[in-house]
Structures are given as C-alpha cells and as structure tokens.
Amino acid sequence: MSDGQGHYAGAGGQGTGPQPAPYPQGGPYAGPNPYSQADPYSQANPYAQGTPQPQANPYAQGNSYGHPRPAAAPSAAPSFDGPFPGPRPRRNRAAVLLQFTLQWIYAPLWIAALVALFAILLWSGASGPSGPDSDSWLKVNRTFLPPRRLKAELTGRPEDWERYVAPILERRIRTAEAEHAAGAGEVGADLGRTMGVKLAVRLYRGLGAAGVVRLAERYGWQGVPAGGDLGRVRLSRRFPAPARVSAPGPQDPPAAPGTPWGPRPARFALLLPFMFVLQFAYVPVCGALSLLAFWVKHPEPDYWDRWGARWTVGPRAFWAEFSGSAAAWDRHVRRIVARETRRGNGQGSGRGNSQGDGRSAEAPRRIRVNLATYRGAGAHHVLRVAAEQGFLLDPAYLPEPEFCVRLHRPGPAA
C-alpha cells in the first residue's frame, strides 16, 4: 500500500535500509527471512566452480535415473566370515529335483551291487581290484537327498537349513559326549581330552560354517578354523581331566572278591564249553547284522569289547576261567600285559620321538586291559603286574574296573 510518496509498505524505497521481517519469529513461518539481506546477490555464487575433489562413483549404488543397480552375481568362491566360510552358492533347482527323483532308482541298485561285490570277493577269496583311496563310493547315504533337505535346497533360506541341520548337529554332539564318557578322545598334556565332530558341506550348504559354529556354541562346542578346507566344518570341545578318585595302589593289600577292584564272579563252569563252541557261529552272525544295520550307532566306543567279555570265551582264558585257578589267571594276565606293552612300544602309542628303550620322549605310553583278561584275578592284580613294567593307573580317565583298566607309563620328562 502506498504512503502517498510513491513508497510501498514493506518494500522499502530508494535509499532506505532493509525493513524488518513482515512475519513475527514465533509465527508459523518462523525461520530466517531469505529476503532480509541488503543485497541478495552478495551471497556466495552457488554455481562457482571450486577445486575439483575426488567423488565417489555415482553409479556404485544407483544409476542416473535414481534406481538402484542390480547386485552383482555371487562368485563361485564362498564368502568368509572370519575363519569360517559363509553360505555356499545354491545348487541348480532342476539338478536337485532330478537327483531327488532318480535316487529312488539308483540307490537300491547301488546297494545291490555292493552286496554282490562283497559276496563275490568273499567266495572267490580274491582281494579284488584296487579301488580309490576314499571309501565314499561305499556310502550311498552320502548321495541320498532326504525330503527335509530337499526343501532347504529348493528355498535356499537359512532358516530352512537351520531346521534341517540342527537335529543332526545335536545328535552328533550327544554321541561324541557319550563317547568321551566311555573313554574316547585325544589326551592332551594337561590330561584333558578333546573330542571332535565333523559335518560335510552338503548338510549345511545354505547356512554356512559360521552358522553351524553358532549352533554348536549353544552346547559348549567351538569351531576349528577350516584352514582352506571348504568341504566340511570341524567342531571340538576340550574336557578337563577327571577329578582324583580313590584307587588302590600296586603295593596295597589285594582287593576283596566282589568289590570293584577285586575278582569278579565267575560264570557257570559247565556253560563255558557250550559258549566256547557256539561263539564261532553266533559271533560272525552278530558282526554281519551290525554291518547290515549300519544306521544303528552304539555310543560306547568299546561296545563290542564289553559285549565280548559277556558272551565269549577267549581260548587262552578258557582254562583259567574254567578251573578258577589263581595261578592260571596270573599267567594269563601277565601274558596279555606283556603283549600290550610290546604293541605300545612297536606302534608308538604315545606322540613324540621314540627313544631307544621304546619310550616316548614327550608323551606317555598308554595301554588298556579288558575285563575278559582279569575276570577271575581282579583289576587290582592288573595294577600289580603292570607296575612291574613301569605302568600306572592312567589319570586321564575315570577308573572303570568293572569293564577295563587303563594304564600309562610316563615318559622320561615326567
């Protein structure tokens, strides 16, 4: 609006200073007034060209039209997440479906061919042609595709792979822990034992080794770095040495019969001849059945030793058990301990360099004597006989005199 002198309110006349902002600061248009500057052209030139700076590739994440560029195809080599490889590339869906369809035809034929091959070799007595170093061609189950894995292969989703591999991993871990309780495992310098579990890549392809390690950590297991081996994932767990338990010493008085370290109850003498004759028939039958029922797993690594101590009679132990003579049992125990000592010295049961006397310079010698050897003499008698050869009760294992006696001979360092 004009003030009568050719000036307009809010616009400023010639030679006048800048007018205050027409809107209060607290209004809905609060903020700096872009027209409050004396000279709107005194600002920096927005189109001024400065020193060119290195710019990121504008086409790294999107194109000139503002749309993201498609991700690059995954390379054939798997990605690594630290020391453990990530998910492997998915298999072709058509190939997976073809394998699942044809396996119901070639798997029975494969098994029938293996049975026929073993029958021919058994009856001909020939060693047969030399096969490959690996025994994978004997295990048709490795090429069999279960329906649960079929879903994971087709979808490729990590959650489907986890649902498939989690029960397998738990079963193998429980089996390894049961084997440790039965005496398996690699003995370390601190007398602790380490157990290991391996899974082939076909069982966790879409989850990756890192995902398997994450599942194993729930059970207290750790992953072992692959070291370039991408065909499997290795897991391990180290169990501490067992606590000290009371056990008789070699120089202690003999243990009483019926006690864990004393002589065990003898089997019926008149039954022993029948067991001795019939075992030549039922032992091979039981062995063949165990081979056919390969899916039945025994958690105890010494299952057949315990079974043999219960249902078989050794030819050399027959007279000692039949007569119950203490002298016969003593001769039998000494013979077996001497044999196991020779085996340990010859095969190098301990690790490290072997010295001239047959002992290891770094690790002790370890032997095991089963119940069938000392049934009528007692486990304590084994300790007394083994002490003459320098063997003591092995502190890396819990004593199980009702099944076996584990002994060790310390090396020179000990």
Side-chain angles (χ1 to χ4, degrees):
M1 184 175 67
S2 175
D3 59 357
Q5 297 181 2
H7 299 158
Y8 293 87
Q14 295 180 356
T16 61
Q19 299 296 325
Y23 302 105
Q25 297 297 325
Y29 303 96
N33 184 6
Y35 305 102
S36 60
Q37 302 293 333
D39 186 2
Y41 301 99
S42 63
Q43 301 178 6
N45 184 6
Y47 304 100
Q49 300 295 329
T51 303
Q53 300 292 333
Q55 301 291 333
N57 184 7
Y59 304 102
Q61 299 298 331
N63 51 27
S64 58
Y65 298 98
H67 299 288
R69 295 176 62 89
S75 59
S79 60
F80 279 79
D81 182 11
F84 307 107
R88 300 294 297 273
R90 291 177 57 183
R91 297 177 57 192
N92 184 271
R93 293 186 178 182
V96 172
L97 291 175
L98 184 62
Q99 177 185 353
F100 182 78
T101 303
L102 297 181
Q103 69 183 3
W104 306 101
I105 301 176
Y106 70 75
L109 296 179
W110 193 339
I111 296 176
L114 290 179
V115 173
L117 176 61
F118 285 126
I120 293 174
L121 295 178
L122 180 64
W123 289 103
S124 64
S127 59
S130 59
D133 296 336
S134 175
D135 61 346
S136 59
W137 63 281
L138 295 174
K139 300 179 180 180
V140 65
N141 60 307
R142 294 184 177 180
T143 62
F144 194 80
L145 190 64
R148 295 178 61 186
R149 197 170 92 213
L150 174 65
K151 178 182 178 181
E153 292 275 11
L154 294 179
T155 62
R157 294 181 298 189
E159 54 269 21
D160 292 336
W161 278 102
E162 182 173 344
R163 281 193 293 267
Y164 168 71
V165 73
I168 300 176
L169 178 63
E170 180 181 4
R171 182 170 61 252
R172 296 196 180 185
I173 285 179
R174 299 307 182 195
T175 301
E177 291 176 350
E179 292 178 352
H180 168 266
E186 181 180 356
V187 182
D190 59 349
L191 302 180
R193 283 180 288 150
T194 303
M195 297 297 300
V197 170
K198 294 188 298 183
L199 269 75
V201 69
R202 68 178 185 275
L203 303 177
Y204 62 90
R205 179 182 301 274
L207 187 61
V212 177
V213 173
R214 174 177 53 84
L215 295 177
E217 289 176 350
R218 302 176 184 176
Y219 304 95
W221 288 62
Q222 289 80 33
V224 179
D229 185 6
L230 307 181
R232 60 186 56 86
V233 60
R234 292 180 172 86
L235 307 170
S236 67
R237 182 179 179 183
R238 188 169 185 80
F239 295 86
R244 296 288 182 176
V245 295
S246 59
Q251 306 302 328
D252 292 345
T259 60
W261 292 94
R264 310 296 296 176
R267 291 179 289 186
F268 188 49
L270 297 180
L271 184 62
L272 294 178
F274 295 97
M275 293 180 61
F276 181 78
V277 175
L278 294 178
Q279 69 184 2
F280 294 99
Y282 64 73
V283 168
V285 171
C286 292
L289 292 178
S290 65
L291 292 177
L292 294 177
F294 58 87
W295 61 87
V296 179
K297 301 296 183 181
H298 302 289
E300 301 87 358
D302 56 350
Y303 172 82
W304 288 110
D305 291 333
R306 301 185 182 191
W307 184 89
R310 187 181 301 111
W311 298 107
T312 62
V313 183
R316 296 186 175 183
F318 176 80
W319 176 249
E321 189 169 1
F322 183 80
S323 62
S325 171
W329 277 113
D330 179 71
R331 288 193 299 269
H332 182 60
V333 170
R334 292 181 180 276
R335 181 168 54 245
I336 298 301
V337 170
R339 184 192 66 184
E340 295 298 326
T341 302
R342 290 193 301 270
R343 287 181 177 179
N345 292 338
Q347 298 177 358
S349 59
R351 293 189 174 185
N353 300 324
S354 180
Q355 295 182 346
D357 58 353
R359 299 188 182 187
S360 173
E362 298 180 3
R365 301 289 181 179
R366 287 184 163 86
I367 63 174
R368 167 178 167 157
V369 182
N370 295 324
L371 172 64
T373 300
Y374 60 85
R375 182 190 304 273
H380 187 209
H381 187 72
V382 177
L383 297 181
R384 301 179 64 179
V385 173
E388 300 174 1
Q389 304 293 331
F391 282 89
L392 304 174
L393 191 64
D394 198 335
Y397 302 88
L398 285 174
E400 294 180 304
E402 63 275 10
F403 297 114
C404 66
V405 176
R406 294 182 174 90
L407 306 166
H408 83 125
R409 184 169 60 187

